């Protein structure tokens, strides 16, 4: 243990956590000249859309605590943690709002924190989300992790801090370099988001200036007050409400535009690309943020299934394992586990589901009640065969192929004897008619003549 203690002591503390300004070296200024923070990024429609899609998708999934039995699993409804995760983590919010908040923190700050409230028995009785930008992560002299949270009133920092033990914090880290704290996707992609903000601001100013390119007012002589003329021009023709007005120039003045048009600058193409760039950061299909250019009826369902498999599943698994690690005791981990149900999102269209159910029913691995539960229908009573598993009678194991050809039942043996007796009687009658004995070939009548 001394070796491991020394190892923990020698490791650098996770200084890249989200405490105060320790994270700000990744935020702030960008090459586009626009400052990017978590809050300013959410003013971008593409960022807001991606964060909302992912957070609402995770929050809408059913979350259950299961107990592992000898043969299967069952919902641990009697466990006090079940109600917290499924319905109400604290008296102030529902499970949906709680998980939506944690997922939003993960997408913007790269970390999600929640304070764990326990009773005298050590049971979890409450979960309260904590703001990631007020949380710090550090190690004590023994190498154990602890958390420092800055208490605030509204937006004003009080300055007093609360030290929390690692057992008192549910910490869900995002993608990071040390496995302890995650890095903000917004901070890591700040240049792409900053460029999108710059493009949006350019478009807004373009229309604010009357949707006309800027230029130069040329005068053949010397002006005594050029500032007054510029301001008069801006007041008369500036702004979208003054666009397309007819300008009257006096004293030989001439207007020469010097800016290129938005089409020449590929303004619209740049904005569209930046939307796809932001969707790529969060791994959200473009059609889910309103870009249907490369989507069709034939591939949009497949893109939705890939969204669940490659986008939601990693986030869901990250949350599940963090909850199991922090909320269950060592003994409970042996028989309990926490699981999101994503089956509803993986369901195909009605015809595809019915074909799949028919295959499962005919091959004996689904009963009528199994199918009805997946379709949210009432169960058929067991006495009426709702739990029966059926299989086609003409299907046999390969090793039994041809076995029935060598087996005869008692009834089949009696039928066979009766058939033989009938054949013998038939041959006897034929022998009498032809004058021969049974078993001899009868002589044709024309031969006797």
């Amino acid at each position: 243990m001394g070796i491991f203690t020394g190892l923990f002591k020698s490791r650098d503390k996770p200084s890249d956590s989200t405490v105060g300004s320790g994270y700000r070296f990744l935020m702030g200024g960008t090459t586009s000249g626009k400052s990017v923070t978590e809050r300013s990024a959410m003013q971008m429609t593409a960022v807001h859309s991606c964060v909302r899609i992912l957070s609402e998708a995770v929050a809408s999934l059913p979350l259950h605590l299961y107990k592992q039995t000898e043969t299967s699993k069952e919902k641990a409804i009697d466990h006090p943690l079940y109600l917290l995760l499924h319905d109400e983590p604290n008296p102030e919010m529902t499970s949906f709002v709680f998980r939506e908040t944690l997922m939003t923190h993960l997408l913007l700050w790269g970390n999600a924190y929640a304070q764990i409230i326990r009773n005298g028995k050590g049971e979890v009785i409450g979960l309260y989300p904590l703001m990631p930008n007020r949380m710090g992560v550090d190690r004590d002299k023994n190498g154990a992790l602890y958390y420092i949270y800055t208490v605030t009133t509204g937006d004003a920092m009080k300055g007093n801090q609360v030290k929390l033990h690692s057992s008192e914090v549910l910490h869900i880290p995002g993608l990071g370099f040390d496995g302890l704290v995650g890095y903000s996707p917004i901070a890591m992609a700040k240049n792409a988001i900053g460029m999108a903000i710059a493009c949006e601001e350019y478009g807004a100013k373009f229309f604010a200036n009357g949707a006309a390119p800027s230029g130069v007012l040329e005068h053949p002589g010397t002006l005594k007050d050029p500032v007054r003329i510029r301001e008069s021009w801006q007041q008369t023709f500036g702004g979208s409400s003054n666009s397309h007005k007819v300008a009257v120039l006096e004293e030989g003045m001439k207007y020469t535009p010097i800016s290129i048009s938005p089409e020449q600058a590929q303004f619209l193409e740049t904005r569209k690309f930046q939307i796809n760039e932001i969707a790529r950061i969060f791994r959200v299909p473009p059609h889910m943020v309103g870009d249907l250019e490369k989507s069709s009826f034939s591939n949009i369902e497949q893109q939705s299934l890939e969204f669940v498999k490659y986008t939601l599943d990693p986030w869901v698994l990250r949350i599940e394992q963090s909850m199991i690690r922090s909320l269950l005791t060592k003994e409970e981990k042996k028989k309990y586990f926490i699981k999101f149900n994503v089956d509803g999102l993986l369901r195909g269209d009605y015809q595809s589901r019915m074909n799949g159910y028919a295959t499962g029913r005919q091959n004996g691995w689904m009963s009528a009640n199994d199918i009805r539960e997946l379709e949210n229908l009432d169960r058929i009573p067991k006495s009426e065969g709702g739990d029966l598993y059926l299989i086609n009678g003409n299907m046999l194991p390969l090793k039994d192929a041809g076995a029935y050809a060598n087996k005869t039942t008692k009834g089949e043996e009696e039928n066979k004897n009766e058939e033989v007796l009938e054949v013998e009687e038939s041959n006897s009658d034929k022998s009498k008619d032809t004058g021969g004995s049974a078993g001899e070939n009868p002589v044709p009548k024309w031969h006797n003549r």
Side-chain angles (χ1 to χ4, degrees), residues 151-175:
V151 180
T152 63
T153 302
D155 293 332
M157 290 284 185
K158 276 188 174 181
N160 55 329
Q161 297 179 334
V162 178
K163 182 178 180 180
L164 300 172
H165 191 266
S166 58
S167 61
E168 298 178 292
V169 177
L170 168 61
H171 180 196
I172 307 173
L175 177 65

Side-chain angles (χ1 to χ4, degrees), residues 60-67 73-77 79 81-87 95 99 320 323-324 328 336-343:
S60 62
L61 294 175
L63 178 61
H64 301 286
L65 175 68
Y66 291 96
K67 182 179 180 181
K73 66 179 185 296
E74 61 183 16
K75 296 177 182 178
I77 301 177
H79 196 285
L81 190 59
Y82 183 90
L83 180 64
L84 296 178
L85 297 178
H86 185 266
D87 298 311
S95 178
R99 287 181 279 146
E320 289 173 351
M323 287 183 171
I324 293 174
L328 297 179
Y336 293 98
F337 64 93
I338 299 170
K339 190 72 175 176
F340 282 92
N341 185 4
V342 298
D343 293 341

Side-chain angles (χ1 to χ4, degrees), residues 165-411:
H165 191 266
S166 58
S167 61
E168 298 178 292
V169 177
L170 168 61
H171 180 196
I172 307 173
L175 177 65
F177 298 153
D178 56 7
L180 298 178
V181 292
Y183 283 177
S184 168
I186 302 297
M188 303 304 289
K190 64 179 181 179
N191 284 329
I193 298 175
M195 185 174 179
I197 294 176
C199 289
E200 188 175 70
E201 184 176 327
Y202 171 81
K205 288 184 176 180
F206 172 74
F207 286 99
N209 291 326
S214 60
V216 176
L217 285 173
E218 299 181 5
H219 191 276
T222 303
L223 292 174
K224 296 181 180 179
D225 193 356
V227 177
R228 182 185 60 82
I229 296 178
R230 182 177 65 245
E231 293 177 352
S232 176
W233 177 272
Q234 180 64 29
Q235 183 179 0
T236 306
F237 302 104
S240 57
S241 60
N242 296 325
S243 59
H244 305 296
K245 278 187 175 181
V246 178
V248 179
L249 301 179
E250 300 177 322
E251 300 180 0
M253 294 180 63
K254 181 174 64 173
Y255 176 78
T256 305
I258 60 174
S259 297
I260 59 176
S261 65
E263 290 77 14
Q264 293 173 334
Q266 296 184 340
F267 168 66
L268 296 178
E269 288 79 1
T270 302
R271 289 208 64 189
K272 182 182 294 186
F273 177 80
Q274 289 309 118
I275 292 176
N276 289 332
E277 186 82 350
I278 293 173
R280 189 180 299 117
I281 296 170
F282 295 99
R283 204 187 298 171
V284 173
H287 76 271
M288 299 189 74
V289 294
D291 184 4
L292 300 176
E293 182 177 358
K294 297 183 179 180
S295 299
S296 63
F297 290 107
S298 60
N299 65 7
I300 198 167
E301 181 179 356
Q302 185 61 33
Q303 291 184 39
S304 299
L305 294 177
E306 290 179 355
F307 169 72
V308 177
K309 183 176 181 180
Y310 298 112
T311 304
L312 281 186
D313 272 355
W315 286 113
V316 164
L317 187 60
R318 187 188 302 273
I319 297 173
E320 289 173 351
Q321 294 187 356
S322 296
M323 287 183 171
I324 293 174
R325 181 184 63 85
S326 301
L327 303 180
L328 297 179
T329 64
K330 185 176 181 180
E331 293 299 322
E332 288 177 334
K333 292 176 184 178
K334 297 179 181 179
K335 54 183 178 180
Y336 293 98
F337 64 93
I338 299 170
K339 190 72 175 176
F340 282 92
N341 185 4
V342 298
D343 293 341
L345 297 179
L346 294 174
R347 295 171 62 182
D349 56 70
Y350 183 81
Q351 182 178 358
S352 300
R353 297 201 311 274
M354 295 303 109
N355 292 337
Y357 294 152
T359 302
R361 180 71 164 150
Q362 294 171 7
N363 288 285
W365 52 270
M366 293 189 77
S367 67
N369 283 335
D370 293 337
I371 298 173
R372 294 180 69 85
E373 285 184 358
L374 293 175
E375 290 295 316
N376 295 321
L377 300 175
D378 294 335
R379 292 175 60 87
I380 299 175
K382 187 176 181 179
S383 59
E384 298 181 10
D387 293 328
L388 289 178
Y389 292 89
L390 309 177
I391 190 170
N392 288 326
N394 58 350
M395 299 179 65
L396 294 172
L398 183 62
K399 62 183 180 62
D400 294 335
Y404 284 99
N406 299 325
K407 294 182 180 179
T408 56
T409 62
K410 183 178 180 181

Side-chain angles (χ1 to χ4, degrees), residues 124-162:
V124 181
I125 60 174
L127 295 169
Y128 290 85
L130 302 174
M131 288 299 297
N133 59 339
R134 303 173 191 169
M135 181 69 77
V137 187
D138 208 339
R139 292 188 185 274
D140 59 18
K141 60 181 181 180
N142 296 320
L145 284 175
Y146 67 90
Y147 297 84
I148 297 294
Y149 189 70
T150 302
V151 180
T152 63
T153 302
D155 293 332
M157 290 284 185
K158 276 188 174 181
N160 55 329
Q161 297 179 334
V162 178

